[in-house]
Amino acid sequence: MPRSVPLVHSAPLVPTALLLAGVLALTACDGGVHGTPGGSGLRDRDPYFPKAGNGGYDVTHYDLALAYDPDTSRLSGTATLTARATQDLSAFNLDLDGLDVEKVTVGGDPARWNRTGRELTVRPHDDLDEGRAFRVTVTYSGTPKTVTDPDGSEEGWLPTDDGAVALGEPTGSAAWFPGNHHPSDKASYDLTVTVPEGLQAVSNGELTASRTSGARTTSHWHTAEPMASYLATLAIGDYDIHRTTTPDGLPVYTAVDPAQAAASRKVLAQIPAVISWSEDTFGPYPFSSTGAIVDRQGDAEYALETQNRPYFPGAPDTETLVHELAHQWFGDSVTPKTWRDMWLNEGFATYAEWLWAEDHGGDSAQKTFDELYTHGEDVYVDLWSFPPGKPSGAAHLSDSPVYQRGAMVLHQVRRQLGDTAFRALLRDWPTTHRHGNADTEDFTSYVEDLAPDKDFGPIWEQWLYGDGKPERSA
């Protein structure tokens, strides 16, 4: 099917006069059109990805039924989104990058739709009143895309030698299911996926059912806690599956490619210890299970904090495991309102590495800061190229200033607050915003409210927003 299909795609052609008469009849019956179309993208709210997400509604739940055959690279799916209108809607958009749409219904009734690029515009039979809950179901199929990000990395749907992996940061989830693909709209998920017998399908949340019939295996995963779509994952392949629990009873589910099993065993055995330390440092674990997915080296270019169980291309080291598990608090539970706030994810996760080392016999965070300030350009040539609070463009959201300088901002806050108050902040901030969204202004205001007698202005001006290398005394 071509990218753009006729607005009334499922009906035979009829004379214009009859179409007009039908529209007038519907208008008379419905009392006239009172809604307006929802926005196609958030634009001024998120200048880095202005077409990501959509306006006019909020998704509360995704129910995805998928089938994938690695031999043909064909994905077929039915996505049912439960949402609530945030304005009177005559139409709304879903993000879907590629794939062929076969049918769309709203509230069980056939809906008109059309495609423009990655925008799927849906026009329900009747307008949706503000505050109304509704369900939209999209049936689709095709070969899902691998998406190249502005920074050159690949996401979306990544074929592997034994299956595929879906990774979504920042916008790649639109390559395998339709939705409101912006971090500001979080929802719960149910994912039912069918694959050839002998392969496993691993996703977020908890595996609630699995059965094999007719040489096909169907698994059902449930994610109860709110999740941004960029954190959703689906890994299909041959995995060694291990189920354990932490000493506190938290389920641990790991899926490891057999080629990485030996190299991964020691570090994955540290998951309970890392979770325990993280809870002591950041507060109660925000989800109902944890774990990891370890694929072969080269299956992807990076590790990612996919909710509940981070994804690793090859066996991780301890520092990377700490980083991605820290993201379960910073990024997954407390999710940025826009991609401008990426440093709140990566700064905290990087600082978690510094704290882990400090608490486990390694360098103090102060020493790490000092080394980075003095010699950081030798390792991170772009370290001072832009401030973490103002990334220079979508292509630079994963550059060193967001990670390393973001952590340096937090260390400066620690120095200003003092250790006791800073350690309290590490627990209280993710608890206050648990399962929600926050931006940089929320964080700076939160810090200032903790210590109204202290001046954080120089930290924000020079370390968070200032250009170039700050003065050492700041």
Side-chain angles (χ1 to χ4, degrees):
M1 183 180 293
R3 287 290 185 87
S4 181
V5 299
L7 188 60
V8 189
H9 65 95
S10 58
L13 293 176
V14 295
T16 301
L18 290 180
L19 271 178
L20 181 59
V23 171
L24 290 174
L26 282 174
T27 301
C29 179
D30 296 342
V33 175
H34 61 274
T36 58
S40 60
L42 300 182
R43 292 180 173 82
D44 57 336
R45 285 176 52 193
D46 204 331
Y48 296 103
F49 297 95
K51 296 293 288 183
N54 303 283
Y57 66 94
D58 174 67
V59 181
T60 57
H61 185 71
Y62 289 87
D63 192 339
L64 308 177
L66 307 176
Y68 183 68
D69 186 346
D71 290 338
T72 63
S73 300
R74 180 176 176 80
L75 176 74
S76 59
T78 299
T80 299
L81 286 63
T82 303
R84 185 174 300 277
T86 58
Q87 66 179 66
D88 292 341
L89 284 173
S90 61
F92 58 90
N93 281 35
L94 301 173
D95 301 314
L96 183 63
D97 196 356
L99 299 169
D100 298 328
V101 175
E102 298 159 10
K103 182 181 179 182
V104 181
T105 64
V106 177
D109 296 325
R112 296 177 296 162
W113 54 271
N114 72 295
R115 299 286 296 277
T116 303
R118 56 177 277 144
E119 296 294 329
L120 171 62
T121 302
V122 178
R123 301 185 183 278
H125 180 271
D126 299 310
D127 284 6
L128 302 171
D129 294 333
E130 181 180 358
R132 175 181 169 182
F134 65 95
R135 287 184 178 176
V136 54
T137 299
V138 181
T139 304
Y140 60 99
S141 63
T143 301
K145 295 175 59 174
T146 297
V147 179
T148 300
D149 288 339
D151 66 1
S153 62
E154 293 184 337
E155 57 163 332
W157 193 267
L158 307 177
T160 63
D161 288 343
D162 58 348
V165 61
L167 301 175
E169 189 179 35
T171 62
S173 295
W176 59 286
F177 66 95
N180 196 24
H181 292 294
H182 190 269
S184 60
D185 192 358
K186 302 169 71 169
S188 57
Y189 282 71
D190 280 286
L191 174 64
T192 303
V193 57
T194 300
V195 296
E197 184 179 4
L199 298 180
Q200 289 87 33
V202 183
S203 189
N204 313 88
E206 282 69 60
L207 178 65
T208 61
S210 182
R211 62 181 177 83
T212 299
S213 177
R216 308 282 284 178
T217 298
T218 300
S219 304
H220 179 236
W221 291 86
H222 176 67
T223 303
E225 297 90 358
M227 178 168 68
S229 64
Y230 82 89
L231 299 169
T233 191
L234 174 58
I236 298 169
D238 177 19
Y239 295 107
D240 290 341
I241 305 297
H242 293 277
R243 299 176 178 87
T244 59
T245 60
T246 67
D248 292 336
L250 180 71
V252 181
Y253 185 104
T254 60
V256 182
D257 187 285
Q260 297 296 315
S264 300
R265 188 171 296 115
K266 185 175 181 179
V267 69
L268 294 185
Q270 294 181 277
I271 289 176
V274 174
I275 291 293
S276 177
W277 172 83
S278 299
E279 288 192 306
D280 288 342
T281 307
F282 309 130
Y285 182 71
F287 302 114
S288 50
S289 67
T290 189
I293 301 169
V294 181
D295 251 334
R296 303 177 193 182
Q297 292 179 339
D299 283 350
E301 303 167 340
Y302 48 84
L304 189 63
E305 61 269 23
T306 45
Q307 193 158 301
N308 297 91
R309 51 192 52 82
Y311 175 87
F312 303 95
D317 56 23
T318 300
E319 290 73 18
T320 305
L321 181 68
V322 169
H323 183 105
E324 302 303 340
L325 287 178
H327 270 309
Q328 304 304 303
W329 283 261
F330 306 104
D332 294 16
S333 178
V334 185
T335 304
K337 289 181 180 178
T338 78
W339 290 111
R340 186 192 300 274
D341 308 302
M342 180 82 156
W343 82 275
L344 285 172
N345 291 16
E346 301 303 345
F348 269 108
T350 300
Y351 201 73
E353 296 180 54
W354 298 13
L355 290 172
W356 173 270
E358 181 174 271
D359 292 348
H360 291 82
D363 289 343
S364 67
Q366 183 64 55
K367 183 176 181 180
T368 302
F369 176 94
D370 292 340
E371 287 291 321
L372 192 58
Y373 185 86
T374 305
H375 303 294
E377 300 98 321
D378 297 338
V379 179
Y380 307 104
V381 295
D382 63 341
L383 181 61
W384 310 110
S385 60
F386 61 85
K390 294 191 301 183
S392 56
H396 302 288
L397 290 179
S398 295
D399 287 0
S400 300
V402 173
Y403 287 67
Q404 305 300 328
R405 190 168 165 182
M408 296 177 89
V409 171
L410 296 176
H411 189 71
Q412 293 289 65
V413 171
R414 177 183 181 178
R415 291 176 61 192
Q416 183 76 316
L417 283 175
D419 273 4
T420 299
F422 181 75
R423 290 281 181 168
L425 178 151
L426 290 176
R427 294 177 60 88
D428 294 346
W429 167 256
T431 300
T432 299
H433 295 278
R434 184 180 177 94
H435 299 316
N437 294 85
D439 62 16
T440 300
E441 185 177 349
D442 292 326
F443 178 74
T444 56
S445 296
Y446 190 87
V447 171
E448 290 168 356
D449 288 344
L450 286 178
D453 57 326
K454 296 182 181 292
D455 182 12
F456 293 91
I459 297 176
W460 311 145
E461 292 165 9
Q462 298 180 44
W463 290 91
L464 182 56
Y465 292 117
D467 293 323
K469 187 174 183 177
E471 292 295 328
R472 184 66 175 85
S473 60

